[in-house]
Amino acid sequence: MGSENGTAPSLPRRRLDPTVGKARKMVAELLGLSTTGKYTPTQHPPLVLVGCSGGPDSLALAAVTAFFASRGEIQVGAVVVDHQMQAGSAEVAQRTAGQLRSLGLDPVRVSQVEVENRGDGPEAAARAARFTALEEAARDLGAETVLLAHTQNDQAESVLLGLARGSGPRSLAGMRERRGLYARPFLGLRRDETLAICEALDLDPWHDPANSDENYLRVRVRHTVLPFLRAELGPAVTESLARTASILGHDADFLDELASEQYARISEHVPASQADDAQVRLNEEALRALAPALRMRVLALAVVELGGLQPSYERLVGAASLLERKGSAGPVQMAGKVSVWRISRAKGVLQDASGYGKLVFRRSP
């Protein structure tokens, strides 16, 4: 019904759900965007991609981020990775892609990947395949940022898994809010809040049956360990674990930076030749002079530099023990086909003299 002056009555403005508003603020702060009514559309907005499985967390992130695309501040696209590990995964991926396009995301890419388990378990293999697909999409589409929807609950689970594995402060530091290509704006958001966002925005998320499969350690942590800790230690334990990760993350970043500086100072890179594979050599005396926290990180950097995997603490201890040997010793097998051995200065072997008094890392073909 019209008003007295013949104009149509204005419709009441829909109240913004407080959880949606909270999530928008998190995305805006991480990307440097405005959360107020004052904003500036850009002629060529940068492309931001959202890694989306179709689950509540990533679908909520996609919908919240799409708000900023509607204002012209950024362009928002998505990558849906089909791991092909479950029956009907292709249909789930296409359904998710359709829902993302209906939210205004463009471009939306569906990437099918082959998951190769190289001994680290199916979760690690799927993660490696997923990140490869995300990086390829970002490179092909020209995106400098990929948003991931890990929540405070995911962070707490990562800390507990790191404790169980005894894998040191870097693992206990969990996931960083921003690292390289990737950004995680929801690390301060609980999982039940992403469900609330989906409900508030009338989203229809997919619930992955693998998240209820007790064969996965993370699922057991989620459904058994954390509920027990909350019951015994109080409901704030999830937030406390996530806060611990944040604190340790800053410490680990500082130590990693120092280790990178020392690695650049004491490492020698020997390119591959017809007679031998590429090598990294680390001066023994310089290694011994480093604090243990830096020494272990420098050893790990040599392994990764050669294309190996991040080594476990036990393997790093094995490599460091070569420094205590009197003569030539090794090899010690590291992760990813990398081996390390020690060449003594006093050992009369047919080796390049520059290799003496050093730990030598080499990756087998």
PDB file of all heavy atoms in Angstrom, residues 37 57 81 253 257 260 264 310 332:
ATOM      1  N   GLY A  37      30.185   2.065   6.226  1.00  0.00           N
ATOM      2  CA  GLY A  37      29.486   2.440   4.994  1.00  0.00           C
ATOM      3  C   GLY A  37      30.365   3.245   4.058  1.00  0.00           C
ATOM      4  O   GLY A  37      30.003   3.470   2.905  1.00  0.00           O
ATOM      5  N   ASP A  57      32.384 -24.048   7.363  1.00  0.00           N
ATOM      6  CA  ASP A  57      33.427 -23.056   7.594  1.00  0.00           C
ATOM      7  C   ASP A  57      33.777 -22.301   6.313  1.00  0.00           C
ATOM      8  O   ASP A  57      33.774 -21.066   6.282  1.00  0.00           O
ATOM      9  CB  ASP A  57      34.683 -23.720   8.161  1.00  0.00           C
ATOM     10  CG  ASP A  57      34.428 -24.441   9.471  1.00  0.00           C
ATOM     11  OD1 ASP A  57      33.400 -24.161  10.117  1.00  0.00           O
ATOM     12  OD2 ASP A  57      35.254 -25.290   9.848  1.00  0.00           O
ATOM     13  N   VAL A  81      38.379 -27.922  -4.482  1.00  0.00           N
ATOM     14  CA  VAL A  81      39.274 -29.039  -4.769  1.00  0.00           C
ATOM     15  C   VAL A  81      38.529 -30.352  -4.559  1.00  0.00           C
ATOM     16  O   VAL A  81      38.024 -30.620  -3.467  1.00  0.00           O
ATOM     17  CB  VAL A  81      40.531 -29.001  -3.879  1.00  0.00           C
ATOM     18  CG1 VAL A  81      41.442 -30.189  -4.189  1.00  0.00           C
ATOM     19  CG2 VAL A  81      41.284 -27.686  -4.081  1.00  0.00           C
ATOM     20  N   ASP A 253      58.377 -17.699  14.663  1.00  0.00           N
ATOM     21  CA  ASP A 253      58.711 -16.848  13.514  1.00  0.00           C
ATOM     22  C   ASP A 253      60.054 -16.144  13.732  1.00  0.00           C
ATOM     23  O   ASP A 253      60.873 -16.033  12.811  1.00  0.00           O
ATOM     24  CB  ASP A 253      57.612 -15.803  13.291  1.00  0.00           C
ATOM     25  CG  ASP A 253      56.340 -16.404  12.713  1.00  0.00           C
ATOM     26  OD1 ASP A 253      56.400 -17.545  12.211  1.00  0.00           O
ATOM     27  OD2 ASP A 253      55.296 -15.728  12.754  1.00  0.00           O
ATOM     28  N   GLU A 257      63.462 -16.743  11.542  1.00  0.00           N
ATOM     29  CA  GLU A 257      64.167 -15.653  10.868  1.00  0.00           C
ATOM     30  C   GLU A 257      65.657 -15.679  11.202  1.00  0.00           C
ATOM     31  O   GLU A 257      66.509 -15.533  10.311  1.00  0.00           O
ATOM     32  CB  GLU A 257      63.550 -14.313  11.284  1.00  0.00           C
ATOM     33  CG  GLU A 257      64.159 -13.112  10.581  1.00  0.00           C
ATOM     34  CD  GLU A 257      63.504 -11.807  10.975  1.00  0.00           C
ATOM     35  OE1 GLU A 257      62.413 -11.851  11.591  1.00  0.00           O
ATOM     36  OE2 GLU A 257      64.077 -10.746  10.681  1.00  0.00           O
ATOM     37  N   SER A 260      67.289 -18.606   9.391  1.00  0.00           N
ATOM     38  CA  SER A 260      67.497 -18.337   7.957  1.00  0.00           C
ATOM     39  C   SER A 260      68.747 -17.498   7.733  1.00  0.00           C
ATOM     40  O   SER A 260      69.503 -17.724   6.778  1.00  0.00           O
ATOM     41  CB  SER A 260      66.276 -17.621   7.379  1.00  0.00           C
ATOM     42  OG  SER A 260      65.144 -18.461   7.409  1.00  0.00           O
ATOM     43  N   ALA A 264      72.049 -18.886   5.688  1.00  0.00           N
ATOM     44  CA  ALA A 264      72.657 -18.172   4.557  1.00  0.00           C
ATOM     45  C   ALA A 264      74.147 -17.925   4.802  1.00  0.00           C
ATOM     46  O   ALA A 264      74.950 -17.935   3.863  1.00  0.00           O
ATOM     47  CB  ALA A 264      71.928 -16.853   4.326  1.00  0.00           C
ATOM     48  N   GLN A 310      60.046 -31.655   5.588  1.00  0.00           N
ATOM     49  CA  GLN A 310      60.414 -31.184   6.911  1.00  0.00           C
ATOM     50  C   GLN A 310      60.706 -32.392   7.805  1.00  0.00           C
ATOM     51  O   GLN A 310      59.835 -33.215   8.054  1.00  0.00           O
ATOM     52  CB  GLN A 310      59.286 -30.349   7.515  1.00  0.00           C
ATOM     53  CG  GLN A 310      59.546 -29.854   8.918  1.00  0.00           C
ATOM     54  CD  GLN A 310      60.634 -28.798   8.996  1.00  0.00           C
ATOM     55  OE1 GLN A 310      60.869 -28.075   8.036  1.00  0.00           O
ATOM     56  NE2 GLN A 310      61.283 -28.697  10.135  1.00  0.00           N
ATOM     57  N   VAL A 332      73.088 -40.419   7.600  1.00  0.00           N
ATOM     58  CA  VAL A 332      71.829 -40.447   8.328  1.00  0.00           C
ATOM     59  C   VAL A 332      70.732 -40.108   7.323  1.00  0.00           C
ATOM     60  O   VAL A 332      70.831 -39.102   6.617  1.00  0.00           O
ATOM     61  CB  VAL A 332      71.826 -39.433   9.494  1.00  0.00           C
ATOM     62  CG1 VAL A 332      70.439 -39.352  10.124  1.00  0.00           C
ATOM     63  CG2 VAL A 332      72.866 -39.826  10.536  1.00  0.00           C
TER      64      VAL A 332
END
